[in-house]
């Protein structure tokens, strides 16, 4: 079923073999509630706890491909959710830092990572709007929730040459790639529309 899912992603335009191999390898059904297991290898998003969703496999593959990860690179993920995207990043041998703002999901997914032997460098309960200044700069930052606007700290925490992949918009999001060209310059590319649960800012 995972091989078939990879074929679907190839048909939709995913080319990176490492990303496809991650999809072939990672047991997505284990990241979902048992009542949805039968759906796990369809190319669809599904509900998880705390009214959040596990992203559609195509979206995960598309965002991951845009990061152009090389082994050992430092990647920050905003929105751990089910942990599936985290597992894909780990499979590409990135050093992963991941942040989740829903306590229920943070606890559940942290336990699940331990059980499965997935080892992010850090899984953090907190507000990803602020990034993770103490671990910056990053080779890549991936935001897995829809951002009404691009959080400035995330741009500031990229290495020169680093890439930020972020869906931007309110009802619908435009997948946006920023590549840091120098201390002050960023190249920006807009790459199609997607739908995500909202990135929420902690106002307190
Ligand atoms: N990568 C996840 C996607 C989960 S949906 C997966 O594949 O399952 C997006 C997640 O972003 C949700 O779990 C939501 O709680 C989280 N989120 C929303 N705003 C956030 C913020 N400011 N900081 C960290 N996480 C946030």
């Amino acid at each position: 079923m995972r091989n078939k899912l990879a074929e679907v992603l190839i048909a939709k335009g995913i080319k990176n073999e490492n990303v496809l191999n991650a999809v072939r390898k990672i047991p997505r059904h284990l990241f979902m509630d048992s009542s949805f297991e039968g759906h796990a290898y369809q190319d669809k998003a599904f509900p998880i706890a705390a009214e959040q969703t596990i992203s559609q496999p195509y979206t995960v593959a598309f965002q991951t491909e845009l990061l152009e990860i090389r082994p050992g690179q430092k990647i920050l993920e905003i929105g751990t959710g089910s942990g599936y995207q985290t597992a894909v990043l780990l499979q590409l041998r990135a050093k992963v830092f991941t942040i989740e703002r829903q306590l229920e999901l943070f606890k559940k997914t942290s336990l699940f990572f331990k059980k499965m032997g997935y080892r992010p460098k850090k899984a953090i309960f907190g507000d990803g709007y602020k990034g993770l200044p103490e671990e910056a700069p990053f080779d890549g930052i991936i935001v897995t929730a829809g951002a009404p606007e691009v959080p400035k700290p995330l741009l500031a925490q990229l290495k020169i040459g680093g890439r930020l992949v972020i869906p931007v918009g309110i009802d619908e999001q435009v997948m946006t790639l920023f590549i840091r060209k120098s201390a002050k310059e960023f190249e920006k590319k807009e790459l199609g529309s997607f739908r995500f649960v909202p990135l929420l800012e902690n106002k307190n």
Side-chain angles (χ1 to χ4, degrees), residues 5 16 52 60 78 83 107 110 114 130 170 200:
L5 175 58
N16 184 310
Q52 303 303 318
V60 172
I78 313 298
K107 285 185 177 163
S110 297
K114 284 212 180 74
K130 301 177 183 67
I170 294 172
L200 299 172

Side-chain angles (χ1 to χ4, degrees), residues 50-181:
E51 295 175 0
Q52 303 303 318
T53 55
I54 177 169
S55 298
Q56 185 181 340
Y58 173 73
T59 305
V60 172
F62 189 77
Q63 288 194 274
T64 309
E65 201 167 60
L66 289 173
L67 285 171
E68 296 188 356
I69 295 175
R70 289 191 301 275
Q73 285 190 326
K74 275 175 90 171
I75 305 291
L76 174 64
E77 176 191 25
I78 313 298
T80 315
S82 69
Y84 180 74
Q85 172 74 69
T86 317
V88 170
L89 298 170
L90 289 169
Q91 188 63 41
L92 296 179
R93 293 163 50 208
K95 293 188 180 118
V96 185
F97 300 79
T98 183
I99 309 179
E100 173 56 56
R101 73 178 286 284
Q102 292 277 358
L103 186 59
E104 181 186 358
L105 282 172
F106 167 75
K107 285 185 177 163
K108 191 174 171 185
T109 304
S110 297
L111 282 174
F112 177 71
F113 285 155
K114 284 212 180 74
K115 187 173 137 198
M116 296 291 289
Y118 292 125
R119 291 196 185 82
K121 286 280 166 222
K122 280 189 187 165
I124 291 154
F125 171 57
D127 181 7
Y129 252 89
K130 301 177 183 67
L132 196 60
E134 64 271 32
E135 298 289 350
F138 296 96
D139 296 289
I141 302 178
I142 174 171
V143 179
T144 70
E149 66 208 75
V150 181
K152 294 263 163 19
L154 300 186
L155 288 169
Q157 290 172 29
L158 281 181
K159 283 186 191 169
I160 308 292
R163 301 162 83 89
L164 167 64
V165 178
I166 179 168
V168 184
I170 294 172
D171 294 326
E172 207 180 55
Q173 291 81 33
V174 176
M175 192 62 73
T176 311
L177 168 66
F178 290 90
I179 303 172
R180 188 168 204 169
K181 294 292 175 186

